[in-house]
């Protein structure tokens, strides 16, 4: 994927400027090609608005994947279908309705199955047009005989203890013959444990610093600023502090942080320089680990492999909340740990897992 951080407003501005250009463009790039197609519909304002929104979202996504219109495959289209149903990372793609500007996001939430089908019909039209114009040589949408259903939104977005063990097992066997391999292994181990044991959002981790770990009243805490600039303090468990210490020792820092450190919670090395990982980089790194775990356990547990390929870092936040509740931690405490604005959000996690629910029902409910 493209290692550059995609800046949504700049790309949308490029598309808008190209569409408003009244001159007939010789399309030498994807932006001009899409703009030429869109101008065919300017006479019908409703169609034009719908088609432009569809094209914007698609172009932003393929740019995020580091591809162009000609490089998209049938497999990419399945990924895009799943993405439309649940755009991830959510903090990057979704937001409240707003005029186009620095705070504008392409989505408010995931799309329905009917809306996704409409998006694909519009994009099929786009590719047909560009093939006819000889800008593209093929239309991958023609390979879709029947659209498979996107990821079931009814799937519990929670990784079980078995799934967490699978990930850590994969990480534990990662090669470490070179420094780069050893760095990737240590970073993956810290990444998984940090997300699960803290329940932090991906944006919170991206903005976090080592100095956010604070020691007060003989206890370690992790400070963070979340959605709506809401400040929170997360109990840093013994397991989390041990994982932190291991990671710090590997990257050459003292075992525990002090109050004045400005190092990122998860680092990226650029030569001798230490820089933070952005939310997009964290998302891609997490997806890479999950995809590799899926390959690792494919033959042993195909259903788990399928789940790994559909999950994201945010699933570990759901998992953290679920396990805290199931461990018997008071729901008010879980609410504070997860920095939920209201108790109703936390109450969604107050449920017995399906396995135990089935066992109890089968045992007690008889004729």
């Amino acid at each position: 994927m493209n290692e550059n951080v995609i800046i949504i407003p700049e790309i949308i501005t490029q598309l808008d400027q190209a569409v408003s250009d009244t001159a007939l463009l010789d399309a030498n790039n994807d932006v001009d090609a899409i703009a030429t197609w869109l101008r065919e519909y300017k006479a019908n304002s409703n169609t034009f608005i719908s088609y432009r929104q569809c094209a914007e979202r698609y172009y932003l996504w393929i740019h995020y994947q580091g591809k162009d219109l000609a490089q998209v495959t049938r497999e990419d289209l399945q990924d895009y279908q799943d993405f439309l149903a649940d755009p991830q990372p959510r903090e990057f793609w979704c937001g409240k309705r707003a005029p186009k500007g620095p705070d504008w996001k392409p989505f408010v939430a995931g799309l329905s199955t009917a809306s996704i089908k409409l998006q694909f019909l519009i994009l099929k039209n786009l590719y047909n047009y560009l093939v006819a114009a000889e800008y593209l040589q093929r239309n991958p949408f023609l390979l879709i005989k029947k659209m498979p259903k996107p990821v079931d939104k009814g799937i519990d977005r929670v990784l079980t203890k078995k799934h967490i063990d699978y990930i850590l097992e994969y990480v534990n066997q990662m090669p470490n013959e070179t420094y780069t391999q050893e760095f990737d292994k240590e970073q993956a181990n810290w990444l998984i444990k940090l997300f699960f044991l803290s329940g932090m959002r991906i944006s919170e981790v991206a903005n976090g610093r080592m100095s956010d770990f604070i020691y007060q009243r003989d206890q370690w805490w992790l400070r963070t600023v979340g959605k709506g600039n809401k400040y929170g303090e997360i109990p840093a468990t013994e397991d989390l502090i041990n994982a932190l210490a291991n990671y710090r020792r590997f990257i050459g820092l003292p075992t525990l942080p002090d109050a004045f450190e400005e190092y990122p919670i998860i680092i990226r090395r650029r030569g001798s320089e230490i820089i933070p990982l952005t939310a997009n980089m964290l998302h891609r790194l997490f997806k890479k680990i999950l995809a590799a775990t899926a390959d690792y356990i494919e033959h042993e547990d195909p259903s788990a492999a399928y789940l790994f390929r559909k999950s994201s870092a945010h699933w570990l936040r759901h998992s953290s909340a679920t396990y805290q509740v199931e461990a018997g931690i008071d729901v008010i405490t879980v609410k504070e740990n997860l920095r939920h604005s209201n108790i109703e959000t936390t109450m969604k996690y107050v449920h017995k897992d399906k396995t135990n629910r089935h066992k109890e029902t089968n045992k007690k409910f008889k004729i």
Side-chain angles (χ1 to χ4, degrees), residues 11-44:
I11 291 179
I12 293 303
T13 299
Q14 291 176 23
L15 283 167
D16 286 344
Q17 289 175 346
V19 171
S20 62
D21 194 334
T22 56
L24 180 63
L25 293 176
D26 291 326
N28 296 316
N29 57 66
D30 285 353
V31 170
D32 290 348
I34 293 171
T36 302
W37 170 72
L38 282 173
R39 282 199 297 273
E40 300 284 353
Y41 301 95
K42 291 198 77 171
N44 188 323

Side-chain angles (χ1 to χ4, degrees), residues 86-143:
D86 182 25
Q88 292 290 341
R90 204 166 190 81
E91 295 90 344
F92 181 73
W93 292 102
C94 300
K96 295 180 180 178
R97 297 185 188 279
K100 285 183 178 175
D103 297 327
W104 179 83
K105 303 291 185 183
F107 298 89
V108 174
L111 305 184
S112 67
T113 300
S115 294
I116 294 172
K117 287 183 177 180
L118 177 60
Q119 300 284 299
F120 271 57
L121 286 173
I122 295 171
L123 293 171
K124 182 178 180 180
N125 177 312
L126 165 64
Y127 270 82
N128 280 337
Y129 180 90
L130 296 180
V131 169
E134 298 185 351
Y135 178 78
L136 296 175
Q137 294 183 345
R138 61 185 183 83
N139 183 353
F141 287 87
L142 294 178
L143 299 177

Side-chain angles (χ1 to χ4, degrees), residues 192-344:
I192 298 301
K193 291 179 179 178
L194 173 62
F195 272 102
F196 178 68
L197 293 171
S198 71
M200 294 174 78
R201 300 176 178 90
I202 199 167
S203 57
E204 295 169 343
V205 172
N207 295 324
R209 296 292 180 268
M210 287 291 186
S211 55
D212 291 334
F213 283 95
I214 57 174
Y215 192 70
Q216 55 187 13
R217 298 183 182 180
D218 298 323
Q219 297 171 325
W220 280 99
W221 295 81
L222 176 52
R223 299 178 299 187
T224 188
V225 177
K227 292 172 64 175
N229 291 322
K230 184 178 180 180
Y231 174 80
E233 293 182 356
I234 306 165
T237 65
E238 183 177 341
D239 284 348
L240 181 57
I241 293 299
N242 287 338
L244 170 68
N246 290 334
Y247 181 64
R248 286 174 59 85
R249 280 193 293 266
F250 175 78
I251 61 177
L253 297 177
T255 302
L256 295 172
D258 62 45
F260 304 101
E261 284 191 9
E262 287 302 315
Y263 292 112
I265 288 182
I266 296 182
I267 72 166
R268 178 189 179 201
R269 287 196 180 277
R270 181 185 290 160
S272 60
E273 185 183 7
I274 292 179
I275 59 177
L277 285 166
T278 66
N280 298 323
M281 291 174 180
L282 285 168
H283 172 71
R284 294 199 294 269
L285 177 57
F286 194 87
K287 293 291 286 185
K288 181 180 178 181
I289 295 169
L290 289 184
T293 303
D295 292 340
Y296 178 68
I297 56 96
E298 183 80 57
H299 296 297
E300 178 183 349
D301 194 338
S303 62
Y306 172 83
L307 202 64
F308 284 136
R309 292 191 174 98
K310 303 304 177 185
S311 56
S312 66
H314 204 69
W315 286 39
L316 282 187
R317 177 171 167 81
H318 291 312
S319 303
S320 182
T322 299
Y323 283 126
Q324 288 185 49
V325 169
E326 292 181 353
I329 300 175
D330 181 78
V331 69
I332 300 299
T333 300
V334 178
K335 172 184 177 295
E336 294 301 315
N337 289 348
L338 274 292
R339 289 92 59 218
H340 288 150
S341 298
N342 54 70
I343 194 65
E344 286 77 14

Side-chain angles (χ1 to χ4, degrees), residues 138-207:
R138 61 185 183 83
N139 183 353
F141 287 87
L142 294 178
L143 299 177
I144 302 176
K145 302 306 178 186
K146 181 179 180 181
M147 283 185 65
K149 292 182 179 180
V151 179
D152 183 5
K153 289 191 175 183
I155 291 177
D156 287 338
R157 300 182 183 277
V158 174
L159 298 175
T160 67
K161 177 63 166 57
K162 178 182 71 172
H163 295 133
I164 302 296
D165 287 343
Y166 277 149
I167 301 172
L168 293 177
E169 180 183 334
Y170 163 73
V171 170
N172 188 57
Q173 62 79 53
M174 287 174 65
N176 58 354
E177 296 176 1
T178 67
Y179 176 80
T180 299
Q181 290 176 335
E182 196 173 1
F183 179 84
D184 290 343
K185 182 175 182 176
E186 293 293 333
Q187 188 180 65
N189 186 64
W190 171 231
L191 180 76
I192 298 301
K193 291 179 179 178
L194 173 62
F195 272 102
F196 178 68
L197 293 171
S198 71
M200 294 174 78
R201 300 176 178 90
I202 199 167
S203 57
E204 295 169 343
V205 172
N207 295 324

